[in-house]
Structures are given as C-alpha cells and as structure tokens.
C-alpha cells in the first residue's frame, strides 16, 4: 500500500508493507543517490533491526553508520541532540548526506529535529518500528525535543523524503507499547472516522488488532495525510489531531517522562476533557462512556494517581497551543467528529477538576 502526502513544497510517499524492512536498501535507493547515511536508533531497536538495516543499505551502495540513544523519552533532549551533532560532524556528513530514523516516536522526533537543524537541514527518512509511530508521529513533519518545562517545546516542521512502515516490526513490541499506539488509533477514530471506530469495537483484543494491522494503519495514515495536506503548519484543522494531548502532555511532564507512556497520557487526557465537556454540555451525553469503554477494552487507563492539578496547569501553560492568553482545545461533537474550541487559559483549570 502506498499513500502520497502532497504538499506545496515537498511531497512524499508512505509505503505500508509487511516484510519491507528487509528491502530498505533498495527502497532508499529509489529516493536517494548513494551517500553517507547515519541511522539513528535506540538501544531496544538496535538489537532487533540495526544490523539488518545497515547491511541492506551497504548492499545498495550507501555508507551507513549508526548512532544509538538510550530507549525512552529522556533521550528526546537538547543534550542528546548535541551528542548527535558531534557524531555527524565526526562522520563528515554534509548537506548531500542523509539521516534515517529507525525506531519509535522518540527516535523519529529526535532524528527529524537533528536532521532539520544540522547544517540548516539534511534530508531524512522515517522508518517507524512502533505502532504509535506508524499511525501518527512519523507522518507530517513535526520534529521536537523536550525541555524540563514542557514536552516538544523545541522543534521544527520538516518533512521526510519518505516513510517506510513495516507492520511486521510490531511483532517484537511489548504489549504496553502496542497499547500506546492503540491510544492514538482510538483518537483518530474518535475525531474523524466512524468506520474505524466500528472496526475497533468489533475487535476482540490487542492481538486481534495486530492481525488487522495493515488495514488499521492505513486508515490512520489516511486521516493524518488529509489534515497535514490541509494544514501543514498546524494553524487550523491539524489541531484536531491534538485531541487528548493537551492534558496528556502535561501528565507526561508532571509524572516524569517515561512514567506514563505518551499513549497512556493521551488516553487519560481524552477521557478527562470529554467528561468535563459533557458536564458543560459541549459534548453529547453518553460520549464519555463510549470513549471510556473502548479505551478500557484495550487495557488503557482513564485515570491516574499522578494527578496534581496545579502542576498540570503550570505545565499546560507552556503548551504550544497557548497563544495570547488563550488555548485551543479539542472536543468531540460526536464519535467520528471533533471541533476546535478556543478558551482563556484560566478556563483550563475547570478541565482539570
């Protein structure tokens, strides 16, 4: 399956195919001429796929080297980015060379950020190996690192030259990481796709979802493609993709990065903001129950004992959706349809009760 993201200045393909990772050298050769390539990956993915990817690239005429970061959200930092800059310089990379992000959302965000800022921009490819990255973070060109103040506070918009999605890599994921991706799938269905919602309702469990991975990943990629094409720089309709994320990111920050997964934070965020919106008569009655039942079906949380209202409020005041003392929040009009609501930042306190 191939989907093209068509943008004014840079279009690229998402290729979704089981077993494709073994062919990454040939796939890359269709996009780039032989050159130096740095594969950025983490300690988990390195053990599974790094050597295979490096060998495939060598066979295709590339000169690949590997930089490995510690697995986990703590690696998405300016400190680690600086270490990679030094490595790229030592390897002699120039603007005619490239970077491949091989891993989950952390690696994709970090590698994309480094690629878009080193020498003012190298080209790069996304090779997501987690469900979360395959359905969401590898697509659309958002790159970022975290600071102590907020998640994704420092970043760029930089589109890759291509995205290789091999659902077979999901077979090695621990179940918590599968659920993390399912949270984003639920989000996509809740804001934009009633058919996908019905499909999720019909599934038995996480393993059943993985059996239908190609269809489900493709459905999510189509949603992401549509909003990115309409709003590449996140000023309008693309904000809908942030459903559950404002509170979710604040939870990740206040709990300490890595305590809650991104997907767990988003699941709690979706449930919380929908429950309060329902109480305010901004979302139809019964929506929270439908949402919670699907979230809990896949063993994701809707609450946490890490809830500290004042700390959460302080964290979300640094959210990128905050502008001029106001913040955009995403509420459900119904299952499969969402809206952007602009409120004073102080009003967010009521959504944290």
């Amino acid at each position: 399956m191939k989907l093209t993201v068509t943008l004014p200045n840079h279009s690229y393909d998402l290729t979704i195919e089981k077993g494709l990772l073994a062919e990454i050298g040939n796939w890359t050769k269709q996009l780039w001429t032989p050159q130096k390539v740095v594969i950025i990956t983490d300690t988990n993915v390195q053990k599974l796929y790094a050597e295979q990817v490096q060998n495939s690239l060598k066979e295709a005429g590339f000169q690949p080297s590997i930089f490995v970061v510690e697995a986990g959200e703590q690696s998405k930092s300016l400190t680690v980015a600086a270490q990679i800059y030094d490595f790229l310089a030592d390897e002699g990379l120039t603007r005619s060379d490239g970077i491949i992000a091989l891993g989950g959302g952390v690696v994709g965000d970090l590698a994309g950020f480094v690629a878009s800022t080193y020498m003012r921009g190298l080209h790069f490819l996304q090779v997501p190996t987690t469900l979360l990255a395959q359905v969401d973070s590898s697509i659309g060109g958002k790159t970022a690192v975290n600071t102590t103040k907020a998640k994704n506070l420092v970043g760029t918009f930089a589109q890759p030259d291509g995205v290789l999605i091999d659902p077979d890599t999901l077979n090695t994921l621990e179940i918590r990481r599968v659920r993390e991706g399912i949270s984003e799938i639920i989000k996509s269905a809740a804001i934009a796709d009633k058919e996908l919602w019905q499909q999720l309702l019909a599934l038995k469990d996480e393993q059943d979802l993985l059996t239908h991975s190609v269809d489900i990943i493709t459905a999510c990629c189509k949603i992401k493609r549509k909003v990115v094409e309409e709003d590449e720089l996140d000023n309008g309709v693309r904000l809908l993709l942030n459903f559950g994320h404002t509170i979710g990111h604040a939870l990740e920050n206040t709990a300490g990065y890595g305590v809650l997964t991104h997907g767990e934070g988003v699941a709690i965020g979706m449930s919380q903001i929908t429950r309060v919106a329902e109480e305010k008569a901004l979302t139809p009655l019964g929506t929270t129950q439908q949402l919670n039942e699907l979230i809990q079906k896949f063993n994701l949380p809707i609450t946490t004992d890490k809830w500290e209202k004042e700390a959460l409020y302080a964290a979300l005041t640094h959210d990128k959706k905050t502008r001029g003392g106001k913040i955009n929040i995403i509420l459900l009009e119904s299952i499969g349809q969402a809206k952007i609501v602009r409120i004073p930042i102080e009003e967010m306190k009521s959504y944290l009760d």
Side-chain angles (χ1 to χ4, degrees):
M1 171 63 71
K2 188 175 285 189
L3 302 173
T4 302
V5 180
T6 305
L7 298 169
N9 299 314
H10 184 80
S11 298
Y12 57 96
D13 290 334
L14 319 174
T15 307
I16 307 162
E17 184 181 321
K18 289 189 174 186
L20 186 61
L21 191 65
E23 302 296 322
I24 190 171
N26 291 330
W27 177 79
T28 304
K29 203 170 184 177
Q30 294 171 28
L31 300 169
W32 293 349
T33 56
Q35 59 195 255
K36 288 181 180 177
V37 175
V38 170
I39 302 159
I40 298 176
T41 191
D42 69 24
T43 47
N44 290 339
V45 178
Q46 177 197 22
K47 292 177 282 192
L48 296 166
Y49 305 118
E51 186 178 354
Q52 176 191 30
V53 168
Q54 187 176 33
N55 290 339
S56 182
L57 288 166
K58 279 181 183 175
E59 289 170 8
F62 294 92
Q63 302 166 58
S65 53
I66 301 173
F67 188 94
V68 183
V69 303
E70 282 297 319
E73 193 75 26
Q74 69 278 1
S75 288
K76 223 172 88 171
S77 70
L78 288 165
T79 302
V80 175
Q83 294 168 0
I84 302 174
Y85 294 142
D86 288 344
F87 181 81
L88 299 180
D90 290 342
E91 290 292 309
L93 258 72
T94 68
R95 293 182 72 177
S96 60
D97 299 316
I99 285 175
I100 292 178
L102 175 68
V106 169
V107 166
D109 281 7
L110 173 65
F113 176 75
V114 166
S116 67
T117 50
Y118 180 80
M119 289 190 172
R120 299 195 179 92
L122 305 182
H123 47 249
F124 68 104
L125 301 170
Q126 290 280 8
V127 184
T129 59
T130 66
L131 186 58
L132 172 66
Q134 290 180 359
V135 300
D136 185 61
S137 61
S138 67
I139 307 148
K142 280 188 180 181
T143 83
V145 292
N146 305 326
T147 74
T148 56
K149 297 294 184 184
K151 184 178 167 75
N152 297 337
L153 193 62
V154 179
T156 63
F157 285 96
Q159 301 293 343
D161 285 346
V163 182
L164 182 161
I165 297 173
D166 182 351
D168 280 348
T169 61
L170 304 180
N171 297 331
T172 55
L173 276 188
E174 59 180 82
I175 192 64
R176 192 179 181 196
R177 296 299 166 188
V178 173
R179 290 170 185 153
E180 181 176 30
I182 293 174
S183 183
E184 289 286 354
I185 295 169
I186 292 170
K187 176 210 75 177
S188 296
I191 63 168
D193 194 333
K194 289 178 183 175
E195 286 186 19
L196 178 57
W197 184 272
Q198 292 300 320
Q199 188 174 0
L200 295 175
L201 287 176
L203 295 172
K204 292 195 293 290
D205 52 22
E206 296 92 334
Q207 193 56 50
D208 197 16
L209 184 143
L210 290 179
T211 303
H212 297 86
S213 58
V214 172
D215 289 344
I216 289 169
I217 292 166
T218 301
C220 291
C221 287
K222 285 179 178 178
I223 294 167
K224 188 76 180 270
R225 175 183 66 173
K226 183 175 187 295
V227 295
V228 169
E229 287 179 343
E230 289 181 29
D231 177 26
E232 182 180 358
L233 300 181
D234 208 15
N235 292 312
V237 69
R238 187 169 177 175
L239 291 169
L240 293 171
L241 296 171
N242 290 316
F243 176 52
H245 283 59
T246 298
I247 294 173
H249 283 170
L251 278 168
E252 285 183 82
N253 177 278
T254 57
Y257 292 127
V259 176
L260 284 172
T261 69
H262 174 69
E264 288 163 356
V266 168
I268 296 164
M270 289 190 293
S271 177
Q272 172 73 13
I273 205 160
T274 304
R275 178 181 62 78
V276 177
E278 202 171 309
E279 291 169 359
K280 291 173 180 278
L282 296 172
T283 289
L285 287 173
T287 307
T288 310
Q289 183 179 343
Q290 291 181 73
L291 185 62
N292 285 349
E293 286 175 356
L294 192 58
I295 289 170
Q296 292 178 302
K297 172 182 178 176
F298 292 104
N299 297 291
L300 284 156
I302 57 172
T303 58
T304 176
D305 57 7
K306 305 292 182 185
W307 197 271
E308 297 177 27
K309 181 177 176 179
E310 292 305 319
L312 287 169
Y313 180 72
L316 63 81
T317 59
H318 293 288
D319 193 284
K320 300 179 299 303
K321 295 175 285 300
T322 305
R323 299 178 188 180
K326 295 191 173 183
I327 188 167
N328 291 309
I329 60 171
I330 313 305
L331 304 179
L332 295 182
E333 292 186 293
S334 63
I335 296 298
Q337 189 169 0
K339 59 186 174 184
I340 303 165
V341 179
R342 192 160 174 76
I343 62 172
I345 186 68
E346 296 82 13
E347 195 178 324
M348 268 310 295
K349 286 183 178 178
S350 69
Y351 283 92
L352 300 175
D353 287 334

